[in-house]
Amino acid sequence: MAAKQPPPLMKKHSQTDLVSRLKTRKILGVGGEDDDGEVHRSKISQVLGNEIKFAVREPLGLRVWQFVSAVLFSGIAIMALAFPDQLYDAVFDGAQVTSKTPIRLYGGALLSISLIMWNALYTAEKVIIRWTLLTEACYFGVQFLVVTATLAETGLMSLGILLLLASRLLFVVISIYYYYQVGRKPKKV
């Protein structure tokens, strides 16, 4: 009794068969356009997504503004912590400080915000950049309102205070500009 030999296995050449390859890609769901109009070359890129979609197109000068903001916040924080009398005198032109504690607390808060600014300088995440810009805009806006209310109460007016108010308005405008620029949806090419 002779053992019957099985027929030799035939290799299917699906890699060279164009129609078979197209059918396989259609079954996998790759090669065609998705809802966003992107063409995925593999199932992995379709599942993981395209990293270009998540890249932030930074507006011109954003990183410079972030650096300037971080330096500004850090500098004023250190000045408020170390030299509260001089900071108060620079802003309110000769008015006497009754207590150094609120100015030092202000410096501590600014130092905390400056640490956030320094960390945001090194991130590429759109959400973090936008939140730090919104934080800046809110801070400068609140500072503008507080200084304006203080001027209305005390009646003090000086060139230093006017420059402070003008700079705060400018900083609010710049921060809001970059906030909206970072949040814009990129144009499809």
Side-chain angles (χ1 to χ4, degrees):
M1 204 163 179
K4 186 175 175 188
Q5 290 283 45
L9 294 174
M10 301 276 301
K11 280 189 173 180
K12 184 175 181 183
H13 297 286
S14 64
Q15 305 229 335
T16 57
D17 184 11
L18 181 60
V19 174
S20 178
R21 250 184 30 208
L22 290 175
K23 283 181 184 176
T24 303
R25 292 180 69 77
K26 186 166 182 125
I27 290 169
L28 287 174
V30 295
E33 288 187 7
D34 63 2
D35 295 339
D36 296 329
E38 294 182 16
V39 177
H40 297 282
R41 301 208 179 274
S42 69
K43 195 66 176 174
I44 292 173
S45 72
Q46 187 177 11
V47 170
L48 296 179
N50 191 352
E51 66 186 48
I52 296 170
K53 183 191 302 185
F54 300 110
V56 176
R57 290 196 175 182
E58 296 176 353
L60 190 62
L62 173 66
R63 294 300 178 172
V64 174
W65 174 246
Q66 286 181 307
F67 178 75
V68 168
S69 295
V71 169
L72 182 77
F73 275 79
S74 299
I76 294 174
I78 290 169
M79 190 170 174
L81 288 169
F83 312 108
D85 294 329
Q86 288 81 0
L87 180 67
Y88 192 84
D89 185 46
V91 174
F92 293 106
D93 255 354
Q96 286 297 319
V97 177
T98 56
S99 176
K100 294 178 184 179
T101 305
I103 299 170
R104 287 199 169 123
L105 286 172
Y106 168 72
L110 275 186
L111 190 62
S112 300
I113 294 173
S114 75
L115 291 174
I116 294 170
M117 298 297 160
W118 283 111
N119 285 324
L121 183 62
Y122 299 107
T123 188
E125 291 188 41
K126 190 187 221 182
V127 174
I128 293 174
I129 293 171
R130 290 191 80 207
W131 272 106
T132 55
L133 290 168
L134 187 62
T135 301
E136 284 180 65
C138 289
Y139 166 77
F140 290 130
V142 167
Q143 189 177 32
F144 176 81
L145 293 174
V146 167
V147 172
T148 304
T150 304
L151 287 178
E153 285 177 4
T154 62
L156 292 175
M157 189 59 73
S158 70
L159 181 63
I161 292 176
L162 291 178
L163 285 174
L164 177 75
L165 290 175
S167 67
R168 294 316 177 230
L169 276 180
L170 178 67
F171 294 160
V172 166
V173 169
I174 292 171
S175 295
I176 289 175
Y177 168 77
Y178 282 124
Y179 175 80
Y180 283 113
Q181 289 299 314
V182 171
R184 278 187 352 175
K185 292 188 178 186
K187 297 177 185 173
K188 291 195 178 186
V189 180

